């Protein structure tokens, strides 16, 4: 009690070690390869503006676009401007824009063009002078993995990858980190042959989401949940990432990749790791990673795979009031494509805490609605001292972490229905970000880009996590590859019947969020 009291009497605002103060990046620049792509316009450019608007970028920050287009700096600035006006989270401010855009440069070239990389090098040297970027440069590879080797090689040969005199060089890579364990290893070897592991930042944008970081706060800042956070009380865990959109326009990336590689290998297994891991010794990056690695090493598929996995492909149907086509009619997809747009797997975590608790992961396109959530579904009370009719509508207790939209946490439990009988029915107790906090949450990419510039690696999966995730997924992908065409489900529904059967076999069912 004494130590608690003395801590609460300390005035944290006077404490120089107060970690709540905003963290501002030091002098630096960022180069984006693949700057004309969709991700860059929808997420990266707006996030950079939002960071500048929040005062978190250094005043001389520079942004360099590298692409094939024959653009001048002004054309590039116009593209960024349009992207910011369309997609930035924070209001547009002329003074912020003027200062930020003064640091925009464009380098025209292809990845195999040595001269273009020489021009990139001299552009960065010039920026060091005029913008004071001080030799600190981040290279964001928003490009297909097939292009990683050539770009890494060019960065090495043009000496852009090597830091000088205590300055830093970092590389940021976007998924997919390979398409199986073997290819991921090759890819990592290529990247690590140029950038040491501590300079490699692998983006999993789910880790940049506030609601995902809140899993750690919920679990480790409270006394309330830990005692029930185990096989003693939890029946199973459901991790759902459902999307209502289809894949029109994304064939180039998605055909042949599918839902499991696109989303389960990274986002959903990272969510599982955060839910299932033990408390880290501290939040130092290495400690956090160590716990995630431990839990992923203990994660296995539940056998037999046939009964404990499901995949589907959307057929025609409805999205809201709109009639939509099936995947095979979407532009760019092979007419006999076997790419799955829905994937579900059942895993178990072989540890004392989780023995016997299935973790069900599912994701899909063109489902009933867009929702990502983690539901910890509790065992039923061992005894109910009510007439059975009184509890006919009582389900299992659940703690639901609502990742998006409608961010928050729901606790579901039974409550007496007002009236003369002792009827008990499920009710919800809700925490909602919108109501609890006045500030809106930063976009995931704001947080992650800032962390790259600060050299703060906590929210970036390391090589070992990527490899372990492929190790979990590879056997499922192999089994599916042998089976040929996935089952079709109607757009706007909750996926293929086989996914429902997968849970029904053990007397469980998917939540209908
Ligand atoms: C990406 C996937 O990683 O996440 C996309 O490649 C998916 O297929 C997207 O649509 C969803 O992100 P969010 O943040 O909207 O849930």
């Amino acid at each position: 009690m004494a130590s608690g009291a003395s801590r609460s009497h300390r005035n944290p605002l006077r404490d120089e070690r107060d970690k709540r103060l905003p963290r501002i990046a030091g002098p630096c620049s960022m180069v984006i390869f693949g700057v004309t792509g969709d991700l860059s316009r929808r997420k990266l450019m707006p996030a950079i503006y939002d960071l500048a608007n929040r005062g978190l970028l250094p005043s001389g920050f520079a942004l360099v676009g590298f692409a094939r287009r024959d653009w001048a700096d002004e054309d590039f600035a116009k593209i960024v401007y349009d992207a910011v006006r369309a997609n930035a989270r924070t209001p547009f401010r002329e003074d912020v824009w003027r200062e930020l855009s003064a640091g925009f440069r464009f380098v025209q070239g292809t990845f195999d063009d040595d001269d273009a990389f020489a021009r990139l090098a001299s552009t960065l040297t010039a920026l060091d002078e005029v913008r004071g970027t001080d030799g600190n440069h981040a290279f964001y590879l928003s490009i297909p993995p097939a292009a990683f080797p050539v770009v890494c090689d060019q960065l090495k040969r043009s000496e852009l990858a090597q830091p000088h005199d205590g300055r830093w060089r970092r590389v940021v890579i976007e998924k997919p980190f390979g398409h199986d364990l073997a290819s991921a290893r090759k890819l990592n070897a290529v990247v690590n042959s140029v950038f040491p592991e501590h300079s490699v930042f692998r983006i999993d944008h789910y880790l940049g989401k506030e609601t995902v970081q809140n899993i750690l706060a919920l679990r480790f800042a409270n006394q309330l949940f830990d005692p029930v956070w185990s096989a003693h009380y939890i029946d199973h865990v459901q991790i759902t990432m459902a999307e209502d959109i289809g894949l029109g326009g994304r064939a180039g990336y998605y055909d042949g990749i599918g839902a499991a590689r696109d989303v389960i290998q990274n986002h959903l297994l990272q969510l599982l790791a955060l839910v299932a891991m033990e408390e880290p010794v501290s939040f130092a990056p290495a400690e956090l990673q160590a716990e995630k690695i431990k839990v992923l090493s203990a994660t296995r598929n539940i056998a037999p795979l046939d009964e404990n996995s499901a995949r589907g492909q959307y057929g025609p149907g409805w999205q809201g009031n709109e009639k939509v086509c099936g995947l095979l009619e979407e532009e760019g997809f092979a007419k006999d494509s076997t790419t799955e747009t829905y994937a579900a797997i059942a895993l178990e975590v072989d540890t004392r805490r989780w023995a016997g608790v299935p973790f069900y992961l599912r994701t899909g396109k063109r489902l009933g609605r867009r929702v990502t959530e983690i539901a910890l579904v509790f065992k039923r009370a061992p005894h109910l001292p009510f007439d059975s009719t009184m509890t006919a509508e009582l389900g299992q207790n659940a703690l639901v972490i609502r990742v998006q939209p409608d961010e928050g946490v729901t606790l579901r439990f039974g409550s007496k229905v007002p009236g003369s009988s002792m009827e008990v029915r499920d009710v919800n107790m809700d925490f909602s970000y919108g109501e609890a906090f006045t500030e809106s949450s930063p976009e995931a990419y704001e947080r992650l880009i800032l962390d790259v510039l600060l050299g703060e690696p906590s929210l970036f999966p390391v090589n070992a996590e990527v490899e372990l995730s492929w190790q979990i997924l590879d056997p499922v992908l192999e089994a599916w590859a042998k089976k040929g065409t996935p089952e079709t489900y109607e757009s706007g529904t909750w996926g293929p019947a086989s996914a429902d059967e997968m849970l029904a076999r053990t007397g469980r069912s998917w939540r209908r969020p």
Side-chain angles (χ1 to χ4, degrees):
M1 184 188 159
S3 71
S6 66
R7 234 179 273 145
S8 64
H9 282 116
R10 201 169 63 201
N11 180 352
L13 292 175
R14 292 170 151 223
D15 189 336
E16 286 173 2
R17 295 163 305 167
D18 189 344
K19 291 281 197 293
R20 291 172 300 177
L21 299 172
R23 303 165 308 145
I24 302 172
C28 63
S29 76
M30 177 171 268
V31 180
I32 303 181
F33 294 95
V35 77
T36 53
D38 186 54
L39 179 77
S40 167
R41 293 180 202 227
R42 275 191 314 114
K43 299 287 182 187
L44 308 185
M45 294 170 179
I48 287 170
Y49 169 80
D50 286 324
L51 286 171
N53 206 5
R54 292 165 63 203
L56 301 178
L57 293 185
S59 56
F61 178 77
L63 174 67
V64 182
F66 184 108
R68 244 176 326 196
R69 307 278 169 98
D70 191 12
W71 284 346
D73 291 344
E74 300 73 48
D75 302 316
F76 175 54
K78 172 76 173 72
I79 297 293
V80 185
Y81 178 83
D82 290 343
V84 166
R85 291 311 294 249
N87 299 314
R89 180 180 64 89
T90 61
F92 187 78
R93 282 177 32 207
E94 200 56 54
D95 53 331
V96 172
W97 173 254
R98 218 175 305 120
E99 182 169 341
L100 182 68
S101 59
F104 291 172
R105 301 288 184 276
F106 185 74
V107 176
Q108 194 264 331
T110 52
F111 298 150
D112 55 4
D113 177 356
D114 295 357
D115 290 346
F117 279 80
R119 286 198 300 280
L120 176 61
S122 50
T123 301
L124 291 175
T125 308
L127 283 168
D128 286 344
E129 284 293 312
V130 296
R131 296 284 289 176
T133 46
D134 208 21
N136 298 316
H137 306 301
F139 301 100
Y140 200 121
L141 310 193
S142 180
I143 54 178
F148 285 8
V150 57
V151 173
C152 286
D153 187 50
Q154 291 282 21
L155 290 173
K156 185 176 186 174
R157 287 195 293 126
S158 52
E159 294 190 5
L160 282 169
Q162 291 91 31
H164 302 282
D165 314 325
R167 308 299 193 264
W168 54 258
R169 302 290 157 99
R170 298 180 186 134
V171 69
V172 186
I173 54 181
E174 275 286 343
K175 73 183 180 66
F177 312 125
H179 56 269
D180 57 13
L181 179 59
S183 58
R185 283 194 172 138
K186 272 194 203 140
L187 205 64
N188 269 318
V190 166
V191 175
N192 285 146
S193 71
V194 177
F195 291 94
E197 184 65 13
H198 71 263
S199 305
V200 182
F201 290 72
R202 296 174 185 79
I203 297 262
D204 182 318
H205 80 280
Y206 263 60
L207 297 181
K209 291 182 190 276
E210 279 292 334
T211 41
V212 172
Q213 292 161 49
N214 192 38
I215 297 170
L216 299 179
L218 185 85
R219 293 195 54 200
F220 302 125
N222 297 302
Q223 179 68 348
L224 182 58
F225 304 111
D226 188 57
V228 294
W229 208 271
S230 74
H232 293 303
Y233 294 94
I234 293 176
D235 175 69
H236 70 280
V237 178
Q238 294 189 16
I239 303 183
T240 299
M241 177 183 167
E243 294 182 283
D244 52 3
I245 51 166
L247 286 155
R250 285 192 76 200
Y253 162 74
Y254 204 90
D255 203 11
I257 294 278
R261 289 187 175 95
D262 182 38
V263 161
I264 295 186
Q265 188 273 339
N266 37 76
H267 307 327
L268 298 197
L269 281 171
Q270 284 290 323
L271 294 183
L272 175 144
L274 294 173
V275 169
M277 70 183 214
E278 295 303 313
E279 180 181 292
V281 173
S282 75
F283 284 116
E287 307 292 359
L288 196 60
Q289 281 148 9
E291 294 306 333
K292 285 202 282 171
I293 288 171
K294 264 199 254 169
V295 85
L296 289 171
S297 320
T299 303
R300 339 214 170 283
N301 293 293
I302 300 181
L305 280 180
D306 253 11
E307 292 181 6
N308 287 292
S309 68
R311 65 180 180 141
Q313 188 183 74
Y314 66 79
W318 294 86
Q319 186 189 351
N321 296 329
E322 195 193 335
K323 202 164 181 6
V324 290
C325 67
L327 184 86
L328 300 181
E329 293 86 53
E330 298 277 19
E331 200 192 324
F333 281 88
K335 292 292 164 243
D336 56 353
S337 172
T338 57
T339 301
E340 86 278 357
T341 58
Y342 179 101
I345 58 174
L347 301 171
E348 58 192 352
V349 178
D350 265 353
T351 60
R352 172 176 286 239
R353 185 186 286 272
W354 294 114
V357 178
F359 282 71
Y360 299 114
L361 276 50
R362 66 172 162 166
T363 183
K365 304 279 183 193
R366 283 257 194 264
L367 298 185
R369 77 175 256 245
R370 173 175 179 255
V371 61
T372 300
E373 62 162 44
I374 302 161
L376 293 100
V377 180
F378 288 84
K379 293 181 173 167
R380 288 182 191 278
H383 173 66
L384 290 173
F386 306 89
D387 184 279
S388 63
T389 57
M390 297 294 190
T391 53
E393 298 200 30
L394 177 66
Q396 283 166 270
N397 297 161
L399 180 73
V400 184
I401 299 170
R402 305 194 313 269
V403 174
Q404 67 185 27
D406 184 24
E407 292 81 358
V409 178
T410 300
L411 190 59
R412 192 164 176 74
F413 55 91
S415 176
K416 180 182 176 306
V417 180
S420 56
S421 72
M422 196 45 164
E423 187 188 353
V424 183
R425 209 187 280 165
D426 290 326
V427 293
N428 287 338
M429 198 156 93
D430 269 349
F431 146 61
S432 152
Y433 275 76
E435 283 168 23
F437 301 110
T438 48
E439 248 179 83
S440 71
S441 298
E443 277 283 324
Y445 276 96
E446 284 173 57
R447 171 65 196 262
L448 296 176
I449 290 174
L450 180 64
D451 280 2
V452 169
L453 303 180
L454 288 164
E456 163 53 57
S458 302
L459 299 180
F460 299 85
V462 291
N463 193 0
E465 290 167 77
V466 173
E467 292 193 1
L468 285 165
S469 302
W470 282 120
Q471 220 160 291
I472 296 165
L473 209 56
D474 272 3
V476 183
L477 294 170
E478 276 161 30
W480 287 352
K482 287 193 196 122
K483 283 172 65 176
T485 318
E487 184 185 339
T488 306
Y489 60 95
E490 190 184 330
S491 283
T493 65
W494 280 95
S498 56
D500 292 331
E501 287 154 17
M502 168 179 152
L503 263 66
R505 274 187 203 103
T506 60
R508 300 182 174 103
S509 58
W510 292 107
R511 285 169 43 82
R512 288 281 179 263

